[in-house]
């Protein structure tokens, strides 16, 4: 017996506007086929499991133990205040990636080490990470994380991402300057099932 499972179940077609669609045309003993995924805002995870069970004649066959694998990448950010003036504090707000992949497909009818996402070109979405340090200023030498992590479709190092945020620089209690930053994150490979903290 070959068992396959996709989660979350309440996001799978044929539900209206379901972000997960399973195509069983290529289904074989190695896996389910192809999973098409739409990433709306980075809050929906995607997991997959398969299990081969060789049965014997018994009155108590036992439960099927499925080990789920995360098919997306999880990303968060850490900012460090690297100023040399000890009176300089920073606020970082509105952190987001503006051009993350929105739609892609992954064939799961093969061994897991061969899983590879095929990304739809020209389809992007915005992933919002909130503020850094809850929007509060942080001191020289301190490193603070983004309020939220987000899930994204994995991609190799040929893909670039645009990271945007608003930066406020304070000297003591005085606001010294505000600027909106747009930074290109180049050559950042994101692998299936991995967590990333980008500093």
């Amino acid at each position: 017996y070959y068992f396959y499972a996709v989660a979350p179940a309440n996001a799978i077609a044929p539900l209206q506007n379901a972000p997960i669609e399973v195509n069983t045309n290529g289904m074989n003993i190695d896996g389910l086929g192809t999973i098409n995924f739409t990433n709306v805002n980075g809050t929906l995870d995607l997991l997959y499991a398969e299990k081969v069970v060789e049965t014997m004649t018994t009155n108590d066959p036992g439960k099927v133990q499925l080990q789920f694998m995360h098919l997306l990448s999880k990303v968060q950010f850490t900012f460090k205040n690297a100023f040399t003036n000890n009176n300089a504090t920073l606020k970082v707000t509105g952190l987001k990636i503006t051009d993350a992949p929105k739609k892609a497909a992954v064939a799961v009818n093969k061994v897991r080490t061969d899983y590879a996402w095929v990304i739809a070109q020209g389809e992007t979405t915005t992933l919002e990470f909130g503020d850094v340090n809850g929007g509060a200023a942080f001191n020289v030498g301190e490193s603070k994380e983004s309020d939220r992590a987000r899930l994204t479709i994995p991609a190799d190092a040929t893909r670039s991402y645009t990271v945007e945020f608003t930066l406020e620089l304070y000297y003591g209690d005085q606001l010294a300057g505000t600027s909106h930053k747009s930074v290109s994150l180049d050559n950042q490979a994101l692998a299936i099932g991995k967590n990333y903290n980008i500093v």
Side-chain angles (χ1 to χ4, degrees), residues 89-117:
T89 60
L90 294 177
K91 285 185 181 180
V92 181
T93 57
L95 177 62
K96 58 189 174 182
I97 293 176
T98 61
D99 52 4
K102 183 175 183 178
K103 294 183 179 180
V106 60
V108 292
N109 57 346
K110 55 184 70 177
V111 296
R112 292 189 175 197
T113 53
D114 292 336
Y115 289 179
W117 282 92

Side-chain angles (χ1 to χ4, degrees), residues 155-173:
D156 62 23
T158 61
R159 188 177 186 93
S160 297
Y161 302 87
T162 303
V163 182
E164 294 186 5
F165 54 92
T166 297
L167 182 67
E168 294 181 2
L169 170 63
Y170 290 82
Y171 285 109
D173 294 330

Side-chain angles (χ1 to χ4, degrees), residues 53-144:
V53 178
E54 297 181 6
T55 63
M56 298 185 303
T57 303
T58 175
N59 292 327
D60 185 16
K63 296 180 179 180
V64 176
Q65 301 295 327
L66 290 173
Q67 182 177 1
F68 281 87
M69 174 186 185
H70 291 269
L71 293 179
L72 302 177
S73 301
K74 192 174 188 179
V75 176
Q76 72 176 46
F77 288 87
T78 294
F79 280 70
K80 181 177 181 179
N81 184 342
F83 276 88
T84 55
N85 184 328
N86 288 331
N87 291 321
T89 60
L90 294 177
K91 285 185 181 180
V92 181
T93 57
L95 177 62
K96 58 189 174 182
I97 293 176
T98 61
D99 52 4
K102 183 175 183 178
K103 294 183 179 180
V106 60
V108 292
N109 57 346
K110 55 184 70 177
V111 296
R112 292 189 175 197
T113 53
D114 292 336
Y115 289 179
W117 282 92
V118 178
I119 296 173
Q121 298 303 309
E123 296 268 6
T124 61
T125 189
T126 297
L127 304 179
E128 296 186 358
F129 297 83
D131 303 329
V132 174
N133 194 36
F138 53 104
N139 298 320
V140 170
E142 290 185 329
S143 296
K144 299 295 181 180

